[in-house]
Amino acid sequence: RLLQQEPPLVLDADALNLIAADVQLQSLLRQRTNPAVLTPHPAEAARLLEWPTTRVQDDRIAAAQELARGLNCVVLLKGAGTVCSDGHRWSINASGNAALSNAGQGDALAGMLAALFAQGLEGFEAARCAAWLHGAAADGWRTHHPAGIGLSASEATDLAREWLNRLAG
């Protein structure tokens, strides 16, 4: 139902798995006139593209571009060097570190993206800004915890809010 409605969408996790498994959902996504942003990790991107995960990892830019063009959406391909693409433009995010590789961080990123999207940023820019903001939160955390483990998603969200307040102020 959501694919047939007007609001901009952020699609992550099981939504991506459902789309990968259903050609009708893929068709609905392609037909949308309002933006949708997909936030796959490499294995989810591989399922959507019907590629081996190694192929996605071997050329993350090509994978993000192909996925964006094929499904008429913006793609934020998560991982080291997160790639954002709308099928025409692409960027690689340089912020972030391994502290983000734990449970809930993808949800935190999707929430930041949805918040930026809801505030009027265009899909590609919202994806790029969310990727940077999420990574910058982890980089800031790492400066205070150089050998630390266990950055939680809620801590990342709090740190991202601090970054936004600094930038706005």
Side-chain angles (χ1 to χ4, degrees):
R1 283 187 225 138
L2 287 174
L3 292 174
Q4 295 172 314
Q5 295 178 8
E6 291 302 308
L9 293 176
V10 175
L11 301 168
D12 188 39
D14 280 342
L16 300 176
N17 293 324
L18 291 170
I19 291 166
D22 188 326
V23 294
Q24 184 179 6
L25 293 177
Q26 293 168 27
S27 178
L28 288 171
L29 183 56
R30 277 188 211 97
Q31 294 169 24
R32 283 182 57 85
T33 54
N34 279 345
V37 180
L38 278 59
T39 61
H41 57 60
E44 290 165 335
R47 281 192 286 279
L48 287 160
L49 290 164
E50 297 180 349
W51 291 4
T53 304
T54 54
R55 182 174 172 194
V56 171
Q57 289 292 71
D58 286 345
D59 194 344
R60 293 169 52 77
I61 295 167
Q65 289 182 302
E66 178 68 23
L67 192 52
R69 282 191 297 263
L71 292 175
N72 185 35
C73 59
V74 171
V75 171
L76 186 156
L77 179 56
K78 298 183 282 197
T82 292
V83 177
C84 298
S85 178
D86 63 2
H88 307 288
R89 303 171 286 176
W90 58 270
S91 69
I92 298 174
N93 181 55
S95 69
N97 58 66
L100 295 174
S101 8
N102 60 41
Q105 292 296 349
D107 295 328
L109 174 60
M112 290 177 205
L113 172 54
L116 293 168
F117 216 6
Q119 293 178 57
L121 266 69
E122 175 263 333
F124 180 67
E125 290 304 319
R128 292 178 66 211
C129 289
W132 177 83
L133 183 59
H134 191 229
D139 290 343
W141 183 84
R142 181 62 75 203
T143 62
H144 292 68
H145 307 279
I149 56 171
L151 172 63
S152 70
S154 59
E155 286 175 300
T157 303
D158 290 344
L159 292 164
R161 184 183 61 246
E162 289 176 25
W163 264 105
L164 283 176
N165 284 323
R166 269 188 251 143
L167 291 171

